[in-house]
């Protein structure tokens, strides 16, 4: 597959996935775990795409949008490094380290097109006030099919077609110590993602399970799947107990109200 075919295939896939996200609000479709797997599937190396998507997912789990502004576009930050590794045989650690800066740069495409959507709000309100349903629907479809997905699709195509092959020249001129540093930084990014996520969900009530899971992995040598099964069992147990407590408390309140009423 030539680089033009690769870029065209991934651009078309990104376009249709943007449509699905706009129509059905499938927030999971743009996540690195899914899009990394999809990119690998389209390029004929699903295993590499899934591995890189999982590593990037660990990083982007701790990155959330604030007020509609994203720190880095997870879709762009996944497609580009996965394509670079699969098509050019690049160093995976170096690609992972460049994922967030690339996603940050390409996220400006979303910011450039967002004022168009804001400008259309006045048009929507005018057509709604005049009860012009045909023109309202037409503008809505233009935004959904053209304004929202097409600019980022064109940019994705150009970046992959013009940029992926050029990165080999850049990495080929890098000294070994710099490549090793990129490998270390990619591992640190994953740890930072987990750290941010942990700080968001941390509570004294559940914090003890973090140390239990660490001890099970470090000292008992249990695989991640086994620890996840134990965690799922504990979560189900807590859910059942909390449900019983809430149901019991509600029953007592109803009985007391009936007694007071009597």
């Amino acid at each position: 597959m030539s680089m033009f075919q690769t870029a065209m295939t991934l651009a078309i896939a990104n376009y249709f996935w943007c449509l699905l996200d706009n129509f059905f609000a499938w927030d999971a479709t743009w996540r690195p775990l899914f899009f990394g797997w999809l990119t690998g599937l389209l390029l004929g190396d699903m295993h590499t795409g899934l591995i890189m998507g999982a590593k990037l997912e660990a990083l982007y789990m701790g990155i959330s949008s604030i007020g509609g502004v994203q720190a880095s576009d997870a879709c762009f930050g996944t497609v580009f490094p996965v394509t670079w590794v699969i098509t050019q045989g690049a160093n995976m650690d170096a690609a992972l380290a460049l994922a967030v800066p690339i996603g940050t740069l390409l996220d400006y495409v979303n910011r450039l097109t967002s004022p168009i959507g804001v400008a259309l709000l006045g048009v929507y309100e005018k057509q709604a006030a005049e009860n012009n349903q045909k023109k309202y629907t037409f503008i809505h479809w233009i935004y959904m099919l053209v304004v929202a997905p097409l600019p980022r699709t064109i940019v994705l195509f150009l970046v992959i077609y013009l940029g992926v092959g050029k990165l080999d020249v850049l990495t080929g001129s890098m000294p070994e110590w710099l490549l090793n540093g990129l490998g270390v930084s990619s591992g640190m990014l994953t740890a930072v993602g987990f750290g941010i996520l942990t700080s968001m969900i941390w509570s004294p009530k559940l914090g003890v399970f973090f140390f239990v899971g660490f001890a099970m992995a470090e000292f008992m040598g249990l695989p991640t799947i086994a620890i996840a099964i134990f965690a799922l069992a504990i979560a189900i147990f807590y859910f059942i107990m909390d449900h019983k407590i809430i149901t019991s408390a509600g029953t007592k309140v109803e009985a007391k109200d009936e007694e007071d009423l009597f």
Side-chain angles (χ1 to χ4, degrees):
M1 186 183 295
S2 65
M3 189 54 64
F4 177 83
Q5 293 174 327
T6 299
M8 182 61 69
T9 301
L10 295 176
I12 293 174
N14 177 77
Y15 177 82
F16 282 108
W17 249 219
C18 285
L19 292 183
L20 288 177
D21 184 59
N22 290 334
F23 281 118
F24 302 106
W26 288 355
D27 290 337
T29 56
W30 61 270
R31 297 300 304 179
L33 183 60
F34 177 82
F35 223 91
W37 168 81
L38 179 64
T39 303
L41 177 65
L42 295 175
L43 298 181
D45 192 352
M46 185 173 57
H47 182 260
T48 299
L50 188 59
I51 290 176
M52 295 187 66
K55 291 185 177 183
L56 289 170
E57 184 67 38
L59 168 63
Y60 277 99
M61 277 195 304
I63 299 178
S64 59
S65 60
I66 301 175
V69 178
Q70 296 180 352
S72 178
D73 191 294
C75 179
F76 279 142
T78 302
V79 175
F80 193 86
V82 172
T83 304
W84 185 30
V85 171
I86 294 177
T87 60
Q88 306 297 319
N91 183 282
M92 185 180 295
D93 292 332
L96 291 172
L98 295 176
V100 174
I102 291 172
T104 302
L105 290 175
L106 296 182
D107 182 59
Y108 283 100
V109 178
N110 299 331
R111 303 186 189 185
L112 290 175
T113 57
S114 59
I116 301 176
V118 176
L120 289 175
L121 291 177
V123 181
Y124 283 129
E125 293 177 355
K126 179 181 178 182
Q127 303 306 321
E130 297 175 355
N131 196 24
N132 194 336
Q133 299 182 23
K134 290 185 177 180
K135 189 173 291 187
Y136 185 98
T137 305
F138 175 76
I139 297 173
H140 173 71
W141 281 109
I142 289 295
Y143 179 80
M144 295 287 287
L145 298 176
V146 179
V147 177
L150 194 58
R152 61 180 287 122
T153 300
I154 295 174
V155 171
L156 179 66
F157 170 80
L158 293 175
V159 168
I160 294 177
Y161 178 60
L162 301 176
V164 170
K166 305 297 188 296
L167 282 178
D168 284 342
V169 180
L170 176 63
T171 56
S173 61
M174 290 181 179
E176 187 176 353
W177 61 267
L178 182 56
L179 292 175
N180 293 335
L182 289 175
V184 174
S185 64
S186 67
M188 293 174 62
L189 288 174
T190 305
V192 169
F194 271 111
I196 296 175
L197 180 65
T198 303
S199 66
M200 293 168 59
I201 64 175
W202 183 268
S203 69
K205 180 180 178 180
L206 302 177
V208 62
F209 293 107
F210 174 82
F211 298 101
V212 172
F214 175 79
M216 294 172 69
E218 186 69 20
F219 303 113
M220 300 177 64
L222 293 178
T224 306
I225 296 297
I227 299 175
I229 293 174
F230 282 117
L232 179 62
I234 294 173
I236 293 175
F237 173 78
Y238 262 84
F239 175 79
I240 294 174
M241 294 302 296
D242 288 344
H243 180 70
K244 287 184 177 180
I245 292 173
I246 294 173
T247 304
S248 176
T251 304
K252 290 180 179 179
V253 170
E254 291 179 0
K256 187 176 185 302
D257 291 340
E258 291 179 357
E259 182 181 349
D260 292 342
L261 182 61
F262 178 76

